[in-house]
Amino acid sequence: MKKLLSKGWRPLLVIILLIICWEVVCHLFDIPDWLLPAPSDIFEESIGGWGSYSHHIFSTVQLAVIGFLVGTSVGVLVAICLHLIPFLREAFYPLLIISQNIPVIVSAPLLIIWFGFGMLPKVIIITLVCFFPITIAALDGFRQTNRELMHFMQMAGANKRQIFWKLEWPHALPALFSGLKISATYSVMGAVISEWLGANKGIGVYMTLASSSFRTDRVFVAIVLVIILSLLFIGCIVYAEKLVIRWKPKGEGNANE
Amino acid sequence: MSKLLIENVSKSFGKNQVLQDMSLTVSDGEFVSILGPSGSGKSTLFRLIGGISLPDSGSIYLDDAKINGQRGSISYMPQSSSLFPWRTILKNVLLGAELNGKIDEDKAVNMLERAGLKGYEHAYPHQLSGGMKQRVSFIRALLSPQAFMCLDEPFSALDEFTRVDMQKWLLNVWTEYQRSILFVTHHIEEAIFLSDRIIVLSQRPATVKKEFVIPFERPRREELLLTEEFLRFKKGVYDALVE
């Protein structure tokens, strides 16, 4: 906690200053609430309106977690397949990139047309957004396997399976975790976007309702919620990383010796 | 029992011939060093013995069985320690055994203790010094089920003091276990101090240029390095190498 404070006071200070400026500007120029609510109004709404949005949070968290888990599994599986079967890698790599070039805003309505308003199209959207950073990170991790260690495994007569599980997989874990961190934030965003397009619960729904009724303060409450959820998700991944990767020397990123 | 026989092995990569008609033997329990200028194909020779690449012609026999292209016939200690950073020291030394099925954890703990690594069983490689890592790497090779050992310039990255310590340590361990060792180095003194026999390679394409049987009795002590006979012998090897 001390470490967090000693490192974190600078960004914290910037944010506090920004909020103070915002508050002052709102009062100074008498900006109407529907255009830009003051931070104090947003804070008030976030406390007083708890009853009106609390059930949305649970729904979004549930969706984001399911989507993240499915997306992660798909991402890791795709990476393993493409890595172990070079033919597949050549064949499918371009398709992977293309899948990321189609904007979610375009693909999401299509998915809703095909799969309705249930859970499935939403999970597919989050998966589409989530799997890519993981696949790319894991593939990179596999490819950058230390050559000396590989040489040792070959001389020792390890088979392909042993090389994968005893060398390539653990070697790719740090890279995989970088991918997971990106995907964790994407999953919250993906969940909100998919709720926008058709749902009856969730932060996305709350946000749409708020903006169409000019409750700008509620839009900001939704934004704050999304930020908090994303941070929480990343926090979980960082914690998991610390549990899994204990062998890294402290205070440096590169353990490839 | 483990003896290695290399018969008329040649290998080239494209137009670049690396090994030419090379023949050598390592008898059971013998310590043989290969000495050659850098880039003379010592690593290629190990790749052939390890079965990672195939010779263009010639055969390699281990205990009378042909092992051309057969991986995992020998236990191997590479130039860099090549310890797996995510494995504890104990797990690292067990790796060779793990790949081939039979794990003997007690024996591993015992060996680590005798190598002066007691208390480091559950440490990670980055917590160890260079010399300690090489010791761990050697124990890993010793604990591998393959009896024949190939050591690829294992001490080349160490400083002079650690190097001499490691050589003495290696001799001790070797006397105790009596394994057949093929040792690659470009350090003349090291080769003489450790081996029963030295094989000097020529420049590319490498072939066996000369062989020396080391006359010094075992156990050898560090003082030997400064005796008149040792230096004279060293000069002889040096002349053969640069000739």
Side-chain angles (χ1 to χ4, degrees):
Chain A
M1 194 68 209
K2 241 184 198 167
K3 199 177 142 205
L4 202 71
L5 264 180
S6 68
K7 263 184 157 183
W9 68 269
R10 271 171 275 238
L12 203 69
L13 186 73
V14 170
I15 292 171
I16 290 172
L17 280 177
L18 206 70
I19 290 174
I20 292 175
C21 284
W22 179 358
E23 183 81 39
V24 170
V25 167
C26 279
H27 290 292
L28 211 63
F29 298 102
D30 212 11
I31 298 173
D33 277 354
W34 58 268
L35 196 59
L36 182 69
S40 55
D41 295 333
I42 297 166
F43 183 70
E44 222 166 87
E45 174 60 27
S46 69
I47 303 252
W50 169 255
S52 69
Y53 66 78
S54 54
H55 60 289
H56 292 301
I57 297 178
F58 176 71
S59 165
T60 302
V61 168
Q62 190 189 21
L63 187 59
V65 169
I66 293 175
F68 177 72
L69 291 179
V70 175
T72 305
S73 320
V74 172
V76 171
L77 275 179
V78 168
I80 292 177
C81 288
L82 295 194
H83 172 69
L84 291 182
I85 312 167
F87 162 73
L88 284 184
R89 186 182 174 128
E90 277 167 38
F92 281 94
Y93 205 81
L95 194 69
L96 268 186
I97 311 273
I98 290 175
S99 80
Q100 296 306 299
N101 289 337
I102 306 168
V104 184
I105 282 305
V106 178
S107 54
L110 276 178
L111 289 169
I112 286 171
I113 293 173
W114 295 333
F115 301 108
F117 288 99
M119 195 77 161
L120 183 63
K122 298 189 182 68
V123 173
I124 294 179
I125 290 173
I126 303 173
T127 304
L128 272 176
V129 181
C130 271
F131 89 98
F132 187 71
I134 292 174
T135 303
I136 296 296
L139 274 177
D140 267 356
F142 291 145
R143 219 188 37 206
Q144 284 163 11
T145 300
N146 187 313
R147 281 170 179 230
E148 284 162 0
L149 300 186
M150 184 61 104
H151 185 226
F152 176 81
M153 285 299 261
Q154 288 172 338
M155 288 294 272
N159 58 36
K160 228 182 157 185
R161 193 182 162 151
Q162 289 171 325
I163 287 182
F164 181 76
W165 286 114
K166 292 186 194 297
L167 174 58
E168 290 175 313
W169 174 255
H171 197 277
L173 276 179
L176 185 67
F177 269 103
S178 318
L180 284 176
K181 280 178 222 164
I182 301 176
S183 290
T185 47
Y186 281 11
S187 70
V188 178
M189 209 176 65
V192 171
I193 292 177
S194 67
E195 285 164 353
W196 252 1
L197 294 160
N200 47 24
K201 254 198 293 185
I203 297 176
V205 176
Y206 174 73
M207 201 185 245
T208 335
L209 286 177
S211 70
S212 55
S213 56
F214 288 94
R215 286 299 302 268
T216 315
D217 53 342
R218 288 191 173 179
V219 176
F220 276 100
V221 171
I223 291 174
V224 172
L225 284 176
V226 170
I227 292 172
I228 292 173
L229 281 185
S230 298
L231 287 179
L232 274 178
F233 266 50
I234 287 202
C236 291
I237 303 292
V238 171
Y239 184 67
E241 186 181 16
K242 271 199 182 135
L243 285 186
V244 174
I245 302 172
R246 293 164 184 236
W247 44 270
K248 281 220 162 184
K250 282 195 179 76
E252 62 166 312
N254 188 10
N256 295 349
E257 178 282 325
Chain B
M1 236 287 275
S2 62
K3 58 175 201 251
L4 183 79
L5 173 62
I6 294 178
E7 234 175 32
N8 307 102
V9 164
S10 299
K11 175 77 184 172
S12 44
F13 297 100
K15 279 186 181 168
N16 193 357
Q17 186 162 27
V18 184
L19 303 179
Q20 191 184 31
D21 209 18
M22 183 181 283
S23 300
L24 60 92
T25 56
V26 181
S27 322
D28 188 33
E30 195 181 19
F31 195 128
V32 176
S33 287
I34 294 184
L35 197 59
S38 49
S40 62
K42 292 171 287 188
S43 303
T44 308
L45 182 65
F46 269 6
R47 291 179 74 87
L48 295 178
I49 300 173
I52 295 179
S53 29
L54 277 171
D56 297 337
S57 63
S59 324
I60 303 166
Y61 298 93
L62 184 69
D63 296 338
D64 304 323
K66 196 169 171 180
I67 55 161
N68 286 20
Q70 219 178 86
R71 290 187 182 184
S73 315
I74 47 125
S75 64
Y76 176 61
M77 177 179 179
Q79 193 167 357
S80 68
S81 62
S82 294
L83 300 178
F84 287 43
W86 51 86
R87 285 176 165 248
T88 60
I89 298 307
L90 183 61
K91 290 267 178 205
N92 258 302
V93 296
L94 285 169
L95 179 65
E98 203 179 300
L99 294 174
N100 294 288
K102 294 149 275 162
I103 296 175
D104 190 343
E105 204 164 301
D106 294 334
K107 193 177 165 194
V109 171
N110 193 299
M111 274 181 153
L112 282 173
E113 190 180 328
R114 274 201 277 173
L117 291 160
K118 190 177 166 61
Y120 285 97
E121 292 89 348
H122 302 289
Y124 288 96
H126 71 88
Q127 295 165 302
L128 269 60
S129 69
M132 287 160 107
K133 281 186 201 167
Q134 288 307 97
R135 265 183 265 176
V136 174
S137 176
F138 183 74
I139 293 173
R140 175 174 64 182
L142 262 182
L143 282 169
S144 300
Q146 303 91 342
F148 192 91
M149 298 183 81
C150 286
L151 278 55
D152 186 0
E153 302 190 11
F155 307 142
S156 59
L158 301 176
D159 60 83
E160 191 63 26
F161 298 108
T162 323
R163 180 191 270 267
V164 174
D165 277 348
M166 288 297 293
Q167 290 165 355
K168 286 189 285 184
W169 178 78
L170 178 64
L171 275 185
N172 271 333
V173 182
W174 178 73
T175 329
E176 195 173 331
Y177 294 93
Q178 287 297 331
R179 305 283 280 266
S180 322
I181 291 183
L182 186 61
F183 188 93
V184 163
T185 180
H186 53 234
H187 202 278
I188 301 175
E189 210 165 88
E190 178 172 277
I192 304 173
F193 185 56
L194 295 174
S195 329
D196 295 317
R197 201 145 52 83
I198 297 181
I199 292 167
V200 178
L201 296 187
S202 63
Q203 293 276 10
R204 267 192 196 199
T207 186
V208 175
K209 204 165 161 189
K210 205 159 181 186
E211 249 187 72
F212 291 90
V213 176
I214 313 292
F216 305 113
E217 262 178 36
R218 296 184 188 274
R220 294 178 190 156
R221 302 171 149 278
E222 203 181 334
E223 292 82 68
L224 176 69
L225 293 173
L226 293 173
T227 58
E228 199 74 23
E229 305 92 81
F230 188 90
L231 293 173
R232 208 174 306 129
F233 198 85
K234 184 176 168 185
K235 188 171 180 307
V237 177
Y238 179 78
D239 288 342
L241 197 61
V242 292
E243 206 167 72

